[in-house]
Amino acid sequence: MSVLSTHWDVMAAAGVFFALGWLVTKLLFEKRLGQARMTGENLVAEAEREAAGLVKAARLEAKEELFQARQRFEEETESTRRESRRRQDALDQREENLNRKVTFIDKKETRLDDLDEELRKRQAGITATEQELSRAQEVQRRKLEEVAGLTVEAAREILMEQMVGDARLAAAKTIQQVREETERNSRRESMKILSLAIQRYASEHVAESTVSVVDLPSDEMKGRIIGREGRNIRSFELATGIDLIIDDTPGAVIVSGFDPVRREVARQSLETLIHDGRIHPGRIEEVVAKTAKEMDVRIREMGEHACLDLGLQSVDKMMYYYVGRLHYRTSYGQNLLKHSMEVAGVAAVIAAELGLDTRLARRCGFFHDIGKAADHEMDGPHAVIGGRLCRKYGENDTVINAVAGHHQDVEAATPYTFIVSAADAVSASRPGARRESVQSYVERLENLEQIADGFDGVEKSFAIQAGREIRVLVNHTLVSDAEAAVLAEEVSRRIEGELEYPGQIKVMVIREIRATAIAH
């Protein structure tokens, strides 16, 4: 009974505790639910307030944008209206101007019509007057023909002859005036420049010929040079391409040839053979070959030294070879390498006086005769050959034109071409620079005088100053002062076309009147 009672007490207590727990849980849940409901309501209220604020701000921003857009539209509309009014005003002004021009043109057309009518009337009057004049001229011409005894054609011919003579005389006077004025203005300055160039650059020239003399220790050496049945001399001439002349001249043999380089190789080879004493075909070929190689080296060294002496830079190595060959070439007895160096110096002086590049002028002058070192290898004038070499080995266009054009073989494109021509003439024509044979000298003088004597009115001519000047005496009754200037020009042109000469030739025509009276 007690156990059962205890069991029910436990169950009752559990029921009470369960009821209390449920009640407490319910109360807590309701409390939390109330708090959550209050928090949700607060959040909703806050969200509504924020949404209302955003909507209000958006409305205000939209109203602001709308206001600004409306303001911009009004401004653009006003600007468009002003532009339209301006254009309309301009159109109105243009229309008004056009209306005035149309009115002016209408008046002008009316005036032109009146003038045209007046011109037609005048033309009719002029035509009638011309017809009357033609009839009067015809009558006058017939009367003149009857009085003068000449036809119109004969009178025209006489008049034409007179006009041609007057025109020729006027042209001659004009030519003489221009020539005198040009000479007055240019002679003083040109003489100053050329004199300064000659004074500042003077050098000696070695005159060479086409033969070289080799001294022998004894005349017995001649037999050894000739060899058995002439084998040695034939081998020597075949190896060198030079003639070896052995005659009765005591203690000497002559090496003869037109190629100065080969002649020098032959001379040095012969001296080596004489000094060595072994002279036979095999040894001859060996010595000649060795000497030729040494000569090539020496030629290049001479060309390089000449370029260095003149301060020339960036010169191709092959140009050294051709420059060195000029040392063994001559023109009228003038050493070409020394001549080229002198022309380079004179050209530099002239360029300095004219305010041009002296280094470029020196380069043009030095290479001006480079073609003579290769004229036996290429066809054409030496100036053109020199231009080809300069172009081949990288010289600039100014140098090429100066080299190719210093004898007028090509048209001059720069002032340096004329400078080189003048410097070449100065170097070649100064006294003692070149020499020529007596026969060619006399022939040149005779040809000069024959050319001058071939003109009408010439009484006598004299070539003076070694052919550098010719003086022509004319008959004063046949040649006037003005015609004397024309005659001098014609003589100089014929000399240029028919003769070859170094430098230049001055032509002077002399016309004088001598009056003689005898007092008793």
Side-chain angles (χ1 to χ4, degrees), residues 63 135 151 275 319 346 401-402 414 425 443:
K63 288 181 180 180
R135 290 192 293 269
T151 62
H275 183 268
M319 292 291 280
V346 175
N401 183 260
T414 66
E443 288 179 355

Side-chain angles (χ1 to χ4, degrees), residues 87-267:
R87 292 184 178 180
Q88 184 64 37
D89 293 341
L91 292 174
D92 294 341
Q93 184 66 28
R94 185 177 298 176
E95 184 177 3
E96 184 178 354
N97 293 336
L98 289 175
N99 291 333
R100 285 198 297 268
K101 289 182 179 180
V102 169
T103 303
F104 177 75
I105 291 173
D106 292 340
K107 293 180 179 179
K108 195 171 184 179
E109 287 181 352
T110 304
R111 177 60 178 167
L112 289 176
D113 292 338
D114 296 340
L115 292 175
D116 190 24
E117 181 65 24
E118 184 178 354
L119 287 175
R120 282 196 295 270
K121 293 179 180 179
R122 290 184 180 181
Q123 184 65 34
I126 291 172
T127 303
T129 304
E130 288 179 350
Q131 293 176 355
E132 293 178 1
L133 288 175
S134 298
R135 290 192 293 269
Q137 288 177 354
E138 181 65 23
V139 173
Q140 187 70 22
R141 184 181 63 81
R142 291 177 182 176
K143 290 182 179 180
L144 289 174
E145 289 180 355
E146 292 176 357
V147 173
L150 294 175
T151 62
V152 176
E153 288 75 11
R156 185 182 293 112
E157 290 180 0
I158 294 174
L159 182 60
M160 287 294 294
E161 290 178 358
Q162 184 178 359
M163 291 176 64
V164 168
D166 294 341
R168 181 174 297 173
L169 181 60
K173 291 181 179 179
T174 303
I175 291 174
Q176 185 176 4
Q177 292 174 358
V178 172
R179 184 187 300 277
E180 291 176 354
E181 182 178 0
T182 303
E183 289 180 355
R184 284 195 302 269
N185 295 333
S186 63
R187 180 180 298 276
R188 184 182 302 107
E189 190 66 22
S190 62
M191 292 299 293
K192 174 184 175 182
I193 293 175
L194 293 179
S195 299
L196 179 62
I198 294 172
Q199 291 173 6
R200 289 179 57 184
Y201 200 91
S203 62
E204 297 180 356
H205 288 264
V206 180
E208 299 181 356
S209 60
T210 58
V211 298
S212 300
V213 178
V214 178
D215 295 329
L216 301 179
S218 65
D219 288 341
E220 295 179 358
M221 186 60 69
K222 293 182 179 180
R224 297 182 60 185
I225 293 173
I226 296 173
R228 183 178 299 178
E229 297 178 356
R231 289 184 300 175
N232 292 345
I233 191 172
R234 285 197 300 271
S235 298
F236 185 85
E237 292 179 345
L238 182 62
T240 60
I242 296 297
D243 294 330
L244 190 59
I245 301 174
I246 301 176
D247 53 16
D248 296 335
T249 304
V253 294
I254 297 175
V255 179
S256 177
F258 287 100
D259 190 329
V261 176
R262 290 183 180 180
R263 190 172 70 247
E264 182 64 18
V265 170
R267 186 188 66 80

Side-chain angles (χ1 to χ4, degrees), residues 35-55:
Q35 291 177 351
R37 185 178 293 113
M38 289 179 66
T39 302
E41 290 176 355
N42 292 333
L43 291 175
V44 170
E46 182 68 23
E48 288 178 352
R49 286 194 299 271
E50 290 181 358
L54 292 174
V55 170

Side-chain angles (χ1 to χ4, degrees), residues 469-484:
E469 180 179 345
I470 181 169
R471 296 184 178 179
V472 183
L473 304 179
V474 298
N475 190 328
H476 69 277
T477 61
L478 301 178
V479 180
S480 64
D481 289 339
E483 291 173 342

